Amino acid sequence: MGRKSNVLLLCSFGFILCIAKLALHSHYPNIESFSKKNLQYYVDSPSCKMPKSNPFSADIMKVFKKKHFKECSTDNDLVLSEFDPELRQYRLYIDDGIFEKLSKKVPNATLRCQYQVIGRNKSASYPDKDFTLSDPRPLNQSFLVPKDIDFLSTQCYAVNGKKEIKLLQEDGFLFVQDRLSHNTKNPEGDRPDEESKPNVIILGIDSTSRLNLRRSMPKLHEFLQRPGWFEMQGFNKVGENTIPNLLAMLTGNAEEKAMAQSRFSHGGFIDKLKYIWQRFKNYGYQTAFGEDCGKINTFNYNKPGFKKQPVDYYLRNFIVALETILKTRREFGNVFCLGRKLGFKYIFDFARQFMQRFEKVAPVFGIFWSNSFTHEDFLGATALDKVFWEYLLVYDALGFFNRSIVFVLSDHGYRYGVTRQNAKSGYLEERLPMMFIYVPPWFRKRYPQYVENLRTNQNRLSSGFDVHMTLHHLLQLNVTSMSKFSPNLRASQCRGCQSLFFELPHNRKCSQAGIRDKWCSCEPIETVTNKKHITKVALEVVRHMNQHLEDRNLTEICENYTLKKVVHMDRKIPVTDESVEDDELHTYVISFYTRPTLAHFEATVQWNTHKKSLIMKVDEISRLESYKKHSKCTNDPVIKKYCICIPF
């Protein structure tokens, strides 16, 4: 079927509108029609046609190469941690057999171990960026950890008399201490509210698209096909990087205006936001948040972080301490090993302890997020696959999935690098992160309509604001429609967004899901081939960028741009025809290089065919390669994207 036939089928407002569409097409004949591609869709409705992409397309596979996981240490643990169920307390003990093996090259040596308590420095100006560390204390053969200690580090030396000969091992240990007051003699008895207050667990992997999951993590993907798991294939990101997308889920507001106004740099601003974990806490839940890679944590990268500890169990200061006091190793562009242990494992061991500690005594809400493998390298996911899969197997064997609603998700796909620069699917990969929801057998039996709605919603357009409403719904599962939700609980940035346990509208637009045009994946694209027109648009884009530098008084620190070349320019194909006037505005996605430094940009712009003029927001431009070394003259996360710092 040709382009003109497609237009005729799409027309729904009479003969005059159809004639206008056909005339417009003849005005721009040099366009490769998307209809020739026989596209299939993740979402296929009159208002949203989200194209499917092949995870194993040739342009991706030519740069795809599996990476191998490298252990941080092959030594057995000299100091081990175990939980004493009778005392409900942790105990550290030393394995003498391991000492004998480690000390073979140190004749006549004896063992001396010590520990230091790690804490949160509440008196610091920015407590999230600091930690406290006690003086060393002797660590005996069997040490019962006091309940007021959450984190500590250990050091074990081979000594001769008082002389330290060799540091054998140093490690970090975390403890999820149960500080609840138990009124019953048997705190391990069944919880009476297991179904009315299910555990809610969010397991997040940064920068992972649904396509790269299939390509790079086949074991994980296979696990997520088990009964009870539902993939939201129409899940579309709402902001550029991690923080707006997580805030949409956690607060119902992506706070992009606040970021543009640099309010996140003000101490205390982050604390003032209304997080969903606060509501779970009010409902009697124990709450936890852990994230690896301290320097790029969601609430701390170029931000002061939380002044007050935001949840009951918070891993931030422990990770900052370990990155400071232990020897680290970098892989995939990030801190990978914290001493002898993988940073990722600290996070997911924390998740295991948290769920295990309260499984019989209290409901839990936890967010456990990893950046280490995937934030800087889309191939890092290939090394993560087995590690993550093994943790899910452990959680399953311990019965955690029987009691929990579980989200396995990402914030967005890979935003720069080879997938964005070279792959045709990179545009969609960035916008379509993985999103899976698990509901246990009892939930499927008790709420069959919710399950049926989840199944339907797999191929409906959804966003992080819907996830936010779903989290609210989990605290009031007896509410059977959005009309019965309190207005105070609605996502403030998307009042029409709703719980994923209710059927999403079939004919939903991105604006109705809180997704701005720049990020919307509902419109197929067609490649523009008219070189003269492409050059005209590209030069206007660069002119707008230079004007923007002047308007923001950045010309003293940022270089002016000149156009080097255009990689490609695509036009978004409107899937609805609401007015003839819309035909004057064409939405283009243009990928281009500029001088100096061959900076690679992508811009979503509107071109007025009547006025021959451009509409664009330079602050929303995307940078398709890493720009760390070229943007050191500013800490503003928005300006960093497009500022090429003038060398001094």
Side-chain angles (χ1 to χ4, degrees):
M1 183 180 292
R3 169 67 178 150
K4 293 185 179 182
S5 299
N6 252 1
V7 172
L8 286 168
L9 289 173
L10 287 170
C11 290
S12 57
F13 295 96
F15 177 74
I16 293 176
L17 178 60
C18 292
I19 292 297
K21 293 287 183 183
L22 292 170
L24 178 69
H25 176 67
S26 64
H27 188 64
Y28 285 107
N30 295 327
I31 289 179
E32 179 186 314
S33 176
F34 77 98
S35 62
K36 294 177 182 177
K37 300 175 184 178
N38 193 27
L39 290 179
Q40 294 181 314
Y41 304 98
Y42 298 128
V43 178
D44 189 359
S45 78
S47 294
C48 180
K49 294 192 180 295
M50 188 180 285
K52 282 187 178 180
S53 294
N54 178 11
F56 307 100
S57 60
D59 56 355
I60 282 286
M61 297 312 291
K62 70 182 180 183
V63 295
F64 180 80
K65 184 179 180 180
K66 287 189 176 182
K67 296 197 174 182
H68 299 292
F69 172 69
K70 299 176 183 178
E71 292 285 355
C72 297
S73 172
T74 56
D75 290 340
N76 291 322
D77 295 333
L78 180 55
V79 179
L80 299 102
S81 172
E82 65 178 17
F83 185 73
D84 188 321
E86 291 186 5
L87 296 174
R88 296 193 64 75
Q89 226 167 327
Y90 290 92
R91 188 185 302 276
L92 294 184
Y93 67 92
I94 299 168
D95 190 323
D96 290 330
I98 300 301
F99 170 64
E100 289 181 10
K101 292 180 181 179
L102 294 174
S103 62
K104 282 183 179 179
K105 295 182 181 180
V106 190
N108 302 319
T110 57
L111 179 67
R112 179 169 66 80
C113 294
Q114 63 186 33
Y115 72 91
Q116 293 175 279
V117 178
I118 298 168
R120 182 174 176 84
N121 187 356
K122 297 177 182 178
S123 62
S125 299
Y126 303 109
D128 257 12
K129 296 182 179 293
D130 204 351
F131 61 93
T132 60
L133 191 66
S134 74
D135 292 332
R137 304 170 186 175
L139 180 64
N140 301 320
Q141 172 63 32
S142 181
F143 171 59
L144 194 64
V145 181
K147 285 192 174 184
D148 62 349
I149 293 179
D150 294 319
F151 314 118
L152 54 79
S153 65
T154 62
Q155 303 87 34
C156 288
Y157 299 89
V159 300
N160 191 338
K162 292 185 178 181
K163 183 181 179 181
E164 294 176 358
I165 301 175
K166 183 181 181 182
L167 175 63
L168 298 175
Q169 284 186 4
E170 57 181 344
D171 291 291
F173 290 89
L174 62 91
F175 314 103
V176 178
Q177 302 282 16
D178 178 1
R179 299 193 180 99
L180 294 174
S181 56
H182 298 287
N183 298 322
T184 62
K185 293 183 179 179
N186 180 21
E188 297 294 338
D190 290 334
R191 262 179 45 213
D193 59 358
E194 280 191 348
E195 293 190 5
S196 61
K197 292 184 178 181
N199 297 333
V200 179
I201 302 297
I202 297 173
L203 306 176
I205 304 296
D206 197 278
S207 304
T208 303
S209 68
R210 62 186 312 279
L211 292 175
N212 202 36
L213 169 70
R214 286 158 169 76
R215 181 189 306 126
S216 301
M217 295 192 277
K219 286 183 177 292
L220 175 60
H221 182 246
E222 183 181 9
F223 185 94
L224 298 175
Q225 304 308 303
R226 293 183 175 190
W229 288 96
F230 297 86
E231 181 180 18
M232 300 297 109
Q233 297 183 45
F235 185 72
N236 198 123
K237 77 172 190 173
V238 300
E240 181 158 28
N241 53 14
T242 303
I243 194 160
N245 288 294
L246 275 191
L247 285 178
M249 299 181 209
L250 299 177
T251 71
N253 191 324
E255 296 289 354
E256 289 185 291
K257 288 183 180 178
M259 279 182 276
Q261 296 166 0
S262 300
R263 279 188 274 167
F264 276 85
S265 63
H266 302 158
F269 176 78
I270 287 174
D271 296 73
K272 294 177 183 177
L273 303 179
K274 294 181 179 179
Y275 299 93
I276 191 68
W277 57 59
Q278 295 164 345
R279 189 158 182 249
F280 276 89
K281 182 63 181 174
N282 292 338
Y283 272 67
Y285 279 69
Q286 295 296 294
T287 57
F289 180 33
E291 190 172 3
D292 62 7
C293 295
K295 290 185 179 179
I296 57 171
N297 275 190
T298 302
F299 298 100
N300 305 96
Y301 179 62
N302 291 328
K303 305 173 193 70
F306 292 96
K307 280 195 169 184
K308 184 180 177 182
Q309 181 168 311
V311 289
D312 297 316
Y313 298 89
Y314 188 47
L315 215 58
R316 168 71 186 171
N317 303 98
F318 177 64
I319 295 297
V320 171
L322 294 192
E323 289 187 359
T324 304
I325 65 179
L326 296 182
K327 184 179 180 180
T328 62
R329 191 182 93 204
R330 297 178 70 88
E331 294 279 352
F332 310 120
N334 281 310
V335 173
F336 187 75
C337 294
L338 300 177
R340 300 172 54 255
K341 189 173 179 178
L342 191 66
F344 177 93
K345 289 191 173 183
Y346 276 113
I347 301 302
F348 283 78
D349 282 345
F350 177 44
R352 176 186 55 80
Q353 283 194 39
F354 180 62
M355 290 185 276
Q356 206 166 11
R357 194 63 52 243
F358 297 106
E359 62 178 337
K360 295 290 186 179
V361 295
V364 298
F365 174 87
I367 304 168
F368 308 95
W369 195 270
S370 175
N371 305 291
S372 53
F373 283 83
T374 55
H375 189 271
E376 303 292 335
D377 188 344
F378 90 105
L379 296 174
T382 62
L384 174 62
D385 187 29
K386 186 171 182 288
V387 182
F388 195 5
W389 171 70
E390 287 176 342
Y391 270 100
L392 293 185
L393 291 179
V394 169
Y395 298 163
D396 190 29
L398 291 171
F400 297 157
F401 291 121
N402 294 333
R403 294 176 286 275
S404 307
I405 309 297
V406 183
F407 297 77
V408 173
L409 53 81
S410 189
D411 45 358
H412 49 74
Y414 203 52
R415 294 170 44 226
Y416 48 82
V418 291
T419 60
R420 291 297 279 114
Q421 292 174 304
N422 304 324
K424 194 70 174 175
S425 64
Y427 177 87
L428 285 175
E429 289 221 26
E430 178 187 353
R431 286 157 172 75
L432 302 179
M434 68 171 181
M435 166 61 74
F436 292 82
I437 302 175
Y438 174 78
V439 290
W442 64 263
F443 187 99
R444 284 174 259 160
K445 183 177 179 180
R446 185 168 176 176
Y447 301 106
Q449 189 56 52
Y450 292 171
V451 174
E452 187 58 33
N453 291 337
L454 274 180
R455 186 172 288 108
T456 298
N457 290 340
Q458 289 186 118
N459 294 105
R460 300 282 170 90
L461 177 64
S462 60
S463 74
F465 299 114
D466 298 313
V467 174
H468 181 69
M469 298 312 304
T470 307
L471 294 173
H472 276 299
H473 196 183
L474 286 168
L475 290 171
Q476 46 188 36
L477 283 167
N478 60 327
V479 174
T480 55
S481 72
M482 288 304 300
S483 63
K484 296 180 180 177
F485 263 68
S486 166
N488 296 331
L489 300 181
R490 295 278 186 161
S492 61
Q493 194 175 323
C494 184
R495 306 298 290 181
C497 284
Q498 64 182 65
S499 166
L500 294 171
F501 296 134
F502 299 136
E503 184 178 344
L504 295 171
H506 170 61
N507 199 20
R508 197 182 202 196
K509 302 174 186 176
C510 277
S511 59
Q512 295 169 323
I515 304 163
R516 291 189 290 112
D517 285 345
K518 176 177 174 61
W519 308 122
C520 181
S521 304
C522 279
E523 295 172 320
I525 58 174
E526 55 189 7
T527 300
V528 180
T529 58
N530 184 327
K531 292 183 179 179
K532 185 178 179 180
H533 182 57
I534 291 171
T535 302
K536 184 188 297 184
V537 173
L539 288 172
E540 271 298 287
V541 169
V542 173
R543 188 184 71 79
H544 273 67
M545 291 169 68
N546 286 327
Q547 184 63 50
H548 185 76
L549 294 179
E550 288 188 28
D551 295 342
R552 293 199 66 169
N553 298 316
L554 295 172
T555 54
E556 291 186 4
I557 64 169
C558 303
E559 299 267 20
N560 256 27
Y561 314 99
T562 57
L563 180 66
K564 169 66 175 174
K565 70 172 182 177
V566 178
V567 181
H568 59 80
M569 187 169 85
D570 297 323
R571 181 190 169 215
K572 285 190 172 186
I573 306 302
V575 295
T576 58
D577 297 295
E578 295 180 351
S579 68
V580 177
E581 288 75 21
D582 286 348
D583 289 333
E584 293 185 358
L585 285 179
H586 285 196
T587 300
Y588 292 122
V589 180
I590 182 168
S591 172
F592 59 99
Y593 285 95
T594 64
R595 297 187 183 96
T597 75
L598 277 183
H600 193 177
F601 294 102
E602 180 185 85
T604 301
V605 303
Q606 286 188 313
W607 179 262
N608 190 304
T609 60
H610 177 67
K611 298 179 180 178
K612 310 295 183 186
S613 62
L614 186 82
I615 302 169
M616 74 173 290
K617 294 180 180 178
V618 176
D619 279 344
E620 292 186 352
I621 203 166
S622 295
R623 186 78 169 269
L624 302 190
E625 94 280 1
S626 179
Y627 45 87
K628 287 180 181 178
K629 65 181 180 180
H630 298 303
S631 60
K632 294 180 180 178
C633 57
T634 176
N635 287 324
D636 187 300
V638 175
I639 296 173
K640 269 182 175 292
K641 286 188 303 176
Y642 54 78
C643 180
I644 313 296
C645 293
I646 298 173
F648 290 101

